[in-house]
Amino acid sequence: MGKVKIIIGKKMLCGVLGIPGVGKTTVLNAAAENVELKRLNFGNYMFAEAQKMSLVKDRDDMRKLPREQQADLQQKAAEQIYKDSRDGNAIVDTHGSIKTPQGYMPGLPENVLRALNPDAIVLVECDPRDICARRNRDVSRNRDPDTVEQVDEHQMMNRCFAAVYADLTNSTVLIVKNEEGKVDEAGKKIAKVFE
Ligand code: AP5
């Protein structure tokens, strides 16, 4: 028997944040089996703009661009996502903070946050050792070779950024653990945000 999807009466926008390789996209695929929603990947929107401007060839190079260029791409992505997310429930798959060579940069600086105006924020996290292992296994991407301690620090920074985002938009923050082999469990928890 197919899964029963939750029927929603209201429209919500949820920002899903997590560090590279935590499994956001995998978990959001699972969430979409439980609730009708549009999934919008912030990185895809930024990458499309970056390619138009011939700034990068690989999406994993965007976080190494000068901060001003990344900020410009963020603004363009947010404007388009705003337009594309108006007609129903939506999830924006993105980053709480970007680890640039100069330090952590907000994934949702105030101009972007105000444009998206999320109702809820979900932080996807897991054991830093699992994130390192997932990055190493996933050869399709060029993710940073961080140590377990660096991954731990990045997740801690994401909590700090999420708290600020929630304060500025009066939204909630839910922490969802994407434990090894438990993708469906994490997906169901995210789907419940829309109930
Ligand atoms: P993006 O495309 O979001 O890159 P990412 O963070 O690396 O996200 P991915 O979708 O590749 O990884 P994921 O965490 O979703 O993990 P996945 O599901 O693949 O962003 C690209 C770039 O865009 C960023 O680097 C940044 O430059 C830019 N960007 C995006 N948002 C931005 C913003 N707001 N501001 C500025 N820049 C922004 O899973 C990884 C692996 O783990 C897979 O092999 C999967 O099979 C496995 N896995 C997942 N879950 C489990 C599990 N529970 N058990 C076992 N294996 C698992």
Side-chain angles (χ1 to χ4, degrees):
M1 202 173 73
K3 292 195 180 182
V4 178
K5 292 201 176 188
I6 300 163
I7 309 289
I8 301 118
K10 59 177 180 163
K11 216 172 58 169
M12 258 186 89
L13 187 134
C14 174
V16 176
L17 320 177
I19 77 165
V22 72
K24 294 180 299 296
T25 307
T26 309
V27 165
L28 292 181
N29 288 340
E33 289 184 19
N34 295 278
V35 62
E36 292 287 353
L37 52 84
K38 203 178 224 184
R39 276 171 291 159
L40 305 161
N41 183 298
F42 203 97
N44 287 350
Y45 282 83
M46 282 183 59
F47 189 45
E49 288 296 332
Q51 280 183 309
K52 269 191 233 164
M53 298 157 79
S54 305
L55 295 177
V56 288
K57 288 204 172 84
D58 184 324
R59 62 196 288 120
D60 284 311
D61 286 336
M62 289 193 294
R63 59 182 173 270
K64 294 161 198 152
L65 287 170
R67 191 196 144 91
E68 302 71 33
Q69 267 175 351
Q70 292 191 58
D72 181 46
L73 293 172
Q74 281 178 320
Q75 175 70 33
K76 289 189 165 95
E79 284 166 11
Q80 192 55 46
I81 288 175
Y82 174 79
K83 290 182 197 149
D84 292 349
S85 63
R86 292 303 91 189
D87 56 349
N89 288 288
I91 272 184
V92 180
D93 176 348
T94 188
H95 292 241
S97 57
I98 317 303
K99 194 171 177 186
T100 75
Q102 291 75 33
Y104 294 103
M105 174 186 138
L108 305 177
E110 197 177 354
N111 57 318
V112 171
L113 195 66
R114 300 272 181 223
L116 298 178
N117 198 23
D119 303 283
I121 290 167
V122 170
L123 259 184
V124 179
E125 291 185 349
C126 74
D127 187 318
R129 288 166 300 187
D130 290 337
I131 295 180
C132 290
R134 286 175 199 170
R135 287 184 185 180
N136 289 336
R137 278 202 307 262
D138 187 2
V139 291
S140 68
R141 294 290 302 272
N142 190 13
R143 298 191 174 98
D144 296 336
D146 289 341
T147 62
V148 169
E149 290 73 26
Q150 288 167 326
V151 165
D152 196 31
E153 177 186 278
H154 196 173
Q155 291 204 118
M156 185 270 293
M157 287 301 295
N158 264 2
R159 286 191 180 197
C160 302
F161 279 105
V164 173
Y165 302 153
D167 185 41
L168 287 172
T169 54
N170 195 23
S171 55
T172 49
V173 178
L174 177 71
I175 296 175
V176 172
K177 298 284 181 192
N178 177 26
E179 289 175 45
E180 203 61 12
K182 294 189 180 170
V183 172
D184 288 341
E185 229 171 83
K188 281 186 186 139
K189 283 185 188 151
I190 295 177
K192 272 187 151 313
V193 169
F194 290 87
E195 282 181 10

